[in-house]
Structure formats: C-alpha cells, structure tokens
Amino acid sequence: MSAPRLRLTLPTGPLTLHAARPSLLGALWVWSKGGTVASSNENTAALEDLEWLGVEPDAMASAPKQARYEEAAARLEESGAVYRCYCTSAHYREMQASKDGPEPHVYDGRCGRLTPAERAALEKAGRKFRYRLRRPETQPDLPSPWAEQPWPDTDRIVLETDSTPSPALAAAVDDHSAKANASLVDGDARTWLIERALIELALQRPLPELVRIPAFRGTAHSIATLREAGHPRRSLLNALLSEVWSLPDGPLAPDLEDAAEKFSLGAIQCDVDETSTVDDESLRVLSHSALQAADRTDLTATVVEHLTRRGYGVIQHEPDWQEAFVAAVRSDLHTLADAERLAGVLTAPTVDYDRSTLRHLSRPGVGEALDWFASQLATIPDGDHAGWRGAIQAYRQQAASPGRALSTLRLVMTG
C-alpha cells in the first residue's frame, strides 16, 4: 500500500475527548508512516481544538454533503445492494425487540420482499421511505481485519427518510470524497464495519486499510471546556492515550509530529475490544502530574499563556517576576486554574498610577526596602511558601509604614 491518507472525522457539535481520540491516534499512525492527514472545515471550532492538541491536518477535503449520500444510495439501489423500506412505527411494533443493535427492533426484511406493484402503490400514496442494506445470503471473502468483524443479524438502515446517513454510509462516501485510503475506528464501530465493507464492494471500490483501536470513555466535557478549566495540553494528550501509548519525555506541549516518529500500532498493548476510561478525577490527577513534572521554563510559559488568555496581566511583568510567581504557586497546581487565585491578588489594580502614586514610590526608604525584599526572594527555593510568608513579614517590618507596606509591594509587583 502507498503512504496512508486518513480523513479526520469531526463531530457536528463540540469536540469531546471521546471524539478526539481517533483523530489523535490516527494522526500519530499516519505521520509515523509518512502519510497525509486530511480534514474538512465544516466544524471550525472542533478543528481549532484539535490543532491546539497538536493535530493539524496536512490537507483540506471538501465537507460532507447530503447530495453525495443520496447519490450513493441511488447507485446502491441500482446494484440491488439496498432497497426502500416503507415501514412505520406500527410495523416496527410487530417485530422482535433488539437490546444491543443499532436499531430498537430486529428488522424482519418485509420491505425487501415487496413486489414492484406493491412498491409503486406505496410510492403513489406518498409513503416516506428509508434505504436498507440487503444482507447477502453468503458472506463475501474479506481481507483481515475486515473478516473478523461480527456479521449483521438483519438488514440495517443506511439512509434515513431525511437523508441522514448511517455511520457506515457516511464513512464510505466521505472517505472516498477525501481520497482517503485508510480508515481508523475504535471498538464502538464494530457493529457497522461489515456494512461499510458491503457498501464499498457494491460501489466497486477497494476496501481501505482498516486500523482498529480500543474504545474510549472520557469525561463528557469538551476540549474547549477542559482547556478553560486549566487542564494543560500534556494532561489531555495523556488522557487520550491512556492505556494505549505514553508520550515520550519532553516539554509540556510536545510536537506530535516528532512524537509520531516513536509511535507504532505495535506499541498498543491493550486489546482493541477493551474500553479505557478517564473520568474527571483521573484527569485532574493527570494534570497535576504533568504540571509538577514540567521544567521551570516550560511551566512558566504555560502558566503565563493560560493567565493571559484568561485576562490576567502577568504578561506585562518581567520574566524574573513571572518565574518567581510560578515558583510560588507550583506545588498547589492541580490545574492551571489554581494559578488564577494568586494572580487575581497580585495583579489587582488597587492603586491608580497618578502623581500621588509616584510620590509614594519616591518617598525616602521605599526603594531601599523594595531592593531588600528582592534580595530575600532570590534566596527562597521554588515552592517554598513559608519562605515567601517570612519575606513578606520581614518586609513589613523594614518598611517605614507597616500598614501600607503590602500595598506598596503589590503596586510594584503589578507594574
């Protein structure tokens, strides 16, 4: 097979951890083989979230279009692979209930046995129809791993009355439109993979290379929500790769194309039929670990970027001030949001920058006291909260007016 070309499947709504998992692993796999990652831009918010995670498409494909699904269904009907189903809810109540299938009932195939005259009468009466994929009497010879997928127990819907496609039809049509020759799916797709194969064969197209990964159950929050809550990129990436693969050691926000050089599907140890889970508490633990393991430079840049995006003016301070601030809050960081509490205190506009302020800062003894406080900070180890408190208390004792000492300190530290 030539270098793989993979189309990213974007959701219609916010990008959740669950929806981002196949895109992340798919990109790592494609880049590890020198292939191309393609995506459409019908959901720009989801695409931006993926790019923040490090998954930036190499090429853009046209967005899914309803007309393409209708055209494919018409071609499938001509080949006899699908038929029109006119059943109503009353008809479905006559059928056996299904507990685990994609439909609530096991379809009995009655519309597949209609005569041309019966179909014409239903059409004349204006009865709405959906397309169902006809299950072959004999199973076709499929390559691995397509052949290992469970065989459907009934004729399944591939196009609804409102032209909404099934996952199988959407994947076949959209991949073909994007010129994709590979498809990556998780364990939840097992129920419709054979349908995808039957659609491709009926349309006389080659089956794409199939890559299966374990299913994933993540927190229901979107990537955007988790980012605003202060979870760093590294922790979300670790959550998405949980029980599958570990990112190589590196900075807090690794370059995924570099990480892909070390990635291989053989590194995935768990079975593709298993399901990994990362809930809110597990994600918080991952974030704490990622933040505590980061070196000072990377952590400072990450904290400053988060606080700046959240509206705190830390970017206005000198790098030394930023590093001292991050060192002070580091041990308390479970997410980046924990840095917002102290940032709100230190960057609060408590004093207007008018002439009276300048006169206050130029008073005798203030400059010397501030220089003394700066020298004390230089001796405090990273994360030593007791040292900070001791320095502040000593500073108040050095100041000419202890009651105003902290206001002076806050004014200077906020620029």
Side-chain angles (χ1 to χ4, degrees), residues 172-381:
V173 172
D174 294 341
D175 276 2
H176 179 73
S177 176
K179 297 181 173 57
N181 58 6
S183 181
L184 185 139
V185 295
D186 64 20
D188 292 336
R190 289 203 73 188
T191 58
W192 54 262
L193 283 178
I194 286 296
E195 297 168 47
R196 163 81 188 269
L198 294 176
I199 290 172
E200 299 285 11
L201 294 177
L203 294 174
Q204 299 182 348
R205 298 173 183 167
L207 292 178
E209 181 177 0
L210 180 64
V211 177
R212 288 189 56 217
I213 58 174
F216 177 75
R217 296 290 180 271
T219 170
H221 304 302
S222 68
I223 297 294
T225 299
L226 294 172
R227 183 185 181 190
E228 288 303 304
H231 291 283
R233 186 170 0 194
R234 164 72 71 161
S235 69
L236 296 186
L237 290 173
N238 284 337
L240 291 168
L241 297 172
S242 176
E243 301 178 20
V244 176
W245 189 64
S246 296
L247 281 169
D249 293 336
L252 200 63
D255 183 279
L256 286 187
E257 293 200 37
D258 291 339
E261 294 180 1
K262 302 178 182 179
F263 178 81
S264 70
L265 289 177
I268 298 180
Q269 299 300 320
C270 56
D271 187 86
V272 291
D273 294 324
E274 295 178 359
T275 301
S276 58
T277 303
V278 175
D279 56 19
D280 290 342
E281 184 57 32
S282 300
L283 186 57
R284 186 172 173 83
V285 171
L286 287 172
S287 293
H288 179 67
S289 298
L291 292 171
Q292 298 307 312
D295 63 44
R296 170 184 279 190
T297 301
D298 293 323
L299 183 59
T300 299
T302 300
V303 171
V304 170
E305 186 274 337
H306 174 79
L307 293 177
T308 300
R309 187 164 45 82
R310 297 288 291 169
Y312 296 90
V314 293
I315 194 66
Q316 302 170 6
H317 295 281
E318 296 295 328
D320 289 346
W321 185 96
Q322 296 173 4
E323 288 195 4
F325 169 77
V326 172
V329 302
R330 179 175 194 143
S331 61
D332 290 334
L333 291 181
H334 288 81
T335 71
L336 295 169
D338 293 326
E340 296 179 28
R341 292 173 296 170
L342 187 53
V345 174
L346 292 180
T347 62
T350 56
V351 182
D352 292 332
Y353 297 148
D354 52 18
R355 290 185 178 181
S356 62
T357 300
L358 297 178
R359 286 198 300 269
H360 175 77
L361 293 178
S362 62
R363 286 175 181 172
V366 173
E368 289 80 0
L370 293 175
D371 290 340
W372 177 89
F373 179 72
S375 67
Q376 293 298 303
L377 290 185
T379 66
I380 300 174

Side-chain angles (χ1 to χ4, degrees), residues 4-322:
R5 181 182 173 92
L6 180 74
R7 176 187 61 87
L8 301 182
T9 303
L10 300 179
T12 56
L15 182 72
T16 62
L17 282 178
H18 178 271
R21 180 78 156 332
S23 294
L24 172 60
L25 282 172
L28 288 171
W29 173 68
V30 167
W31 288 333
S32 72
K33 293 183 169 294
T36 302
V37 174
S39 175
S40 61
N41 61 354
E42 78 274 13
N43 188 339
T44 55
L47 200 58
E48 288 172 0
D49 287 341
L50 272 180
E51 291 177 359
W52 177 74
L53 287 172
V55 180
E56 187 169 356
D58 306 302
M60 299 305 296
S62 59
K65 295 184 182 299
Q66 190 179 64
R68 293 195 189 115
Y69 306 133
E70 296 170 348
E71 179 185 356
R75 289 182 56 193
L76 290 169
E77 185 178 28
E78 290 177 1
S79 70
V82 304
Y83 58 86
R84 299 185 181 191
C85 173
Y86 303 89
C87 288
T88 65
S89 57
H91 295 126
Y92 287 129
R93 287 195 291 270
E94 300 172 359
M95 303 177 197
Q96 178 185 345
S98 174
K99 294 181 179 179
D100 303 321
E103 300 177 39
H105 299 88
V106 179
Y107 190 68
D108 60 11
R110 63 180 66 183
C111 287
R113 299 185 294 270
L114 292 175
T115 65
E118 290 171 329
R119 288 197 297 272
L122 291 170
E123 294 279 351
K124 186 176 181 179
R127 181 76 64 84
K128 293 183 177 181
F129 63 87
R130 52 185 55 85
Y131 285 105
R132 286 188 178 274
L133 182 66
R134 193 184 303 275
R135 185 179 56 162
E137 296 182 1
T138 59
Q139 299 185 22
D141 186 18
L142 299 175
S144 179
W146 292 95
E148 286 81 38
Q149 310 314 310
W151 190 253
D153 56 357
T154 186
D155 296 347
R156 303 262 176 85
I157 296 172
V158 293
L159 194 68
E160 275 288 359
T161 56
D162 62 355
S163 296
T164 299
S166 68
L169 181 63
V173 172
D174 294 341
D175 276 2
H176 179 73
S177 176
K179 297 181 173 57
N181 58 6
S183 181
L184 185 139
V185 295
D186 64 20
D188 292 336
R190 289 203 73 188
T191 58
W192 54 262
L193 283 178
I194 286 296
E195 297 168 47
R196 163 81 188 269
L198 294 176
I199 290 172
E200 299 285 11
L201 294 177
L203 294 174
Q204 299 182 348
R205 298 173 183 167
L207 292 178
E209 181 177 0
L210 180 64
V211 177
R212 288 189 56 217
I213 58 174
F216 177 75
R217 296 290 180 271
T219 170
H221 304 302
S222 68
I223 297 294
T225 299
L226 294 172
R227 183 185 181 190
E228 288 303 304
H231 291 283
R233 186 170 0 194
R234 164 72 71 161
S235 69
L236 296 186
L237 290 173
N238 284 337
L240 291 168
L241 297 172
S242 176
E243 301 178 20
V244 176
W245 189 64
S246 296
L247 281 169
D249 293 336
L252 200 63
D255 183 279
L256 286 187
E257 293 200 37
D258 291 339
E261 294 180 1
K262 302 178 182 179
F263 178 81
S264 70
L265 289 177
I268 298 180
Q269 299 300 320
C270 56
D271 187 86
V272 291
D273 294 324
E274 295 178 359
T275 301
S276 58
T277 303
V278 175
D279 56 19
D280 290 342
E281 184 57 32
S282 300
L283 186 57
R284 186 172 173 83
V285 171
L286 287 172
S287 293
H288 179 67
S289 298
L291 292 171
Q292 298 307 312
D295 63 44
R296 170 184 279 190
T297 301
D298 293 323
L299 183 59
T300 299
T302 300
V303 171
V304 170
E305 186 274 337
H306 174 79
L307 293 177
T308 300
R309 187 164 45 82
R310 297 288 291 169
Y312 296 90
V314 293
I315 194 66
Q316 302 170 6
H317 295 281
E318 296 295 328
D320 289 346
W321 185 96
Q322 296 173 4

Side-chain angles (χ1 to χ4, degrees), residues 350-351 356-357 359-361 363 366 369-370 392 395-412:
T350 56
V351 182
S356 62
T357 300
R359 286 198 300 269
H360 175 77
L361 293 178
R363 286 175 181 172
V366 173
L370 293 175
I392 292 173
Y395 168 73
R396 295 182 66 188
Q397 295 173 1
Q398 291 285 328
S401 178
R404 298 179 181 177
L406 290 184
S407 293
T408 302
L409 175 60
R410 182 182 298 169
L411 172 62
V412 173

